[in-house]
Amino acid sequence: MKFGGSSLASAARMREVADLILSFPEETPVVVLSAMGKTTNNLLLAGEKAVSCGAPKASEINELAVIKKLHLRTIDELGLDSSIVSGFLDELEQLLKGVAMMKELTLRTRDYLVSFGECMSTRIFSAYLNKLGKKARQYDAFDLGFITTDDFTNADILEATYPAVAKRLHGDWIDDPAIPIVTGFLGKGWKSCAVTTLGRGGSDLTATTIGKALGLREIQVWKDVDGVLTCDPNIYANAVPVPYLTFDEAAELAYFGAQVLHPQSMRPAREGGIPVRVKNSYNRHAPGTVITKTRDMRKSILTSIVLKSNITMLDIVSTRMLGQYGFLAKVNNNSLVALFPYSYTLSFIVRRF
Ligand SMILES: Nc1ncnc2c1ncn2[C@@H]1O[C@H](COP(=O)(O)OP(=O)(O)O)[C@@H](O)[C@H]1O
Ligand SMILES: N[C@@H](CC(=O)OP(=O)(O)O)C(=O)O
């Protein structure tokens, strides 16, 4: 079960999520959590401000105060001990001072900086479940076996992750059963051994990776909408849930910008043949969207519409392309979104910078 930042924005939401998990007493879920609310955005903003504010002012960055307030208030309202996060909050402040001194925020430091969000949310939630009498154990994905490429801010999960995660979670469960509470979004670079992140929204990928590693029956991704909708609800308020999708359809929607799922997250589920259910933590009885390998295609012609902004369409027309090959190899495809090859026309859709 994965819960995104929108499901964990406050102490009240944490209570609700705990209640939801405990409402399946016969299940033994693995729980994956994102950072609370908008914490990742605030950490990134704080990092950017630190670059230019000068070391003495780093402690006064507004986003740092917002992050501190949210986490300390949540701990207080849940009746937990502030020592759960105080070490992280102190270190975060030191890190921002360091960034301010260096006047530089590398991609590697950026990943370390944002990791504080998931490290804190999982510790708070795990402590809360334990307080409720439900035994839980917190895991940092980078210590659990999530091994990634060293592409900071957009790392890819390596194959070695699956056996490593399975071994650790099985072993711990046999030794001392407790609900695992795992940080989403984070990994460990295989060469650098530094904290990496899986790209924005990467906790969905953490969840499907664990699903495949353990061969689970189902992967549930809990959001703040009634499933994957026919359109982004911020663009069209009357969008309705799509009850069934295939992995390919969901991956395609995510790739073309439907923010609801991480673009890579369908891959492990597809490889493991594990259904993904997208549910609403604010409306738990809504059926949501079930994503599987195949579905009945007879009823729907159009599944969902994605709007992608800042793109340009380029048509290249030349009769010299007829019967030729190797033309595409010469095209710089760094910003390529889609390509339509015809006999002597190439239509490109590229990102606008
Ligand atoms: N086609 C779509 N279906 C559902 N939600 C969408 C779609 N396109 C964009 N969204 C947005 O995605 C949000 C959910 O994704 P996200 O914010 O990543 O959730 P979480 O933080 O809970 O993981 C919704 O609140 C909605 O605004
Ligand atoms: N906290 C990270 C990872 C994530 O998956 O978040 P969410 O589940 O809230 O989209 C982010 O904001 O990108």
Side-chain angles (χ1 to χ4, degrees), residues 107-152:
L107 296 184
R108 179 177 170 142
T109 308
R110 193 184 283 248
D111 273 357
Y112 184 58
L113 176 69
V114 291
S115 74
F116 282 69
E118 273 72 10
C119 287
M120 291 194 287
S121 65
T122 48
R123 281 170 172 80
I124 296 174
F125 191 73
S126 167
Y128 182 57
L129 278 190
N130 279 312
K131 186 180 173 227
L132 293 181
K134 189 78 187 168
K135 201 162 174 193
R137 185 180 295 117
Q138 190 275 348
Y139 291 92
D140 290 320
F142 44 83
D143 287 335
L144 174 60
F146 275 80
I147 305 151
T148 72
T149 58
D150 286 290
D151 300 307
F152 294 106

Side-chain angles (χ1 to χ4, degrees), residues 295-310:
R295 70 178 179 100
D296 182 354
M297 292 290 200
R298 280 172 302 184
K299 286 201 186 112
S300 58
I301 301 168
L302 198 60
T303 309
S304 184
I305 298 173
V306 180
L307 173 74
K308 200 167 180 83
S309 15
N310 293 327

Side-chain angles (χ1 to χ4, degrees), residues 2 4-7 204 222-225 227-229 231-234 258-260 304:
K2 177 257 166 167
S6 56
S7 299
D204 296 340
W222 292 79
K223 306 260 167 188
D224 60 350
V225 277
V228 178
L229 306 179
C231 175
D232 184 341
N234 302 303
Q259 192 213 323
V260 65
S304 184

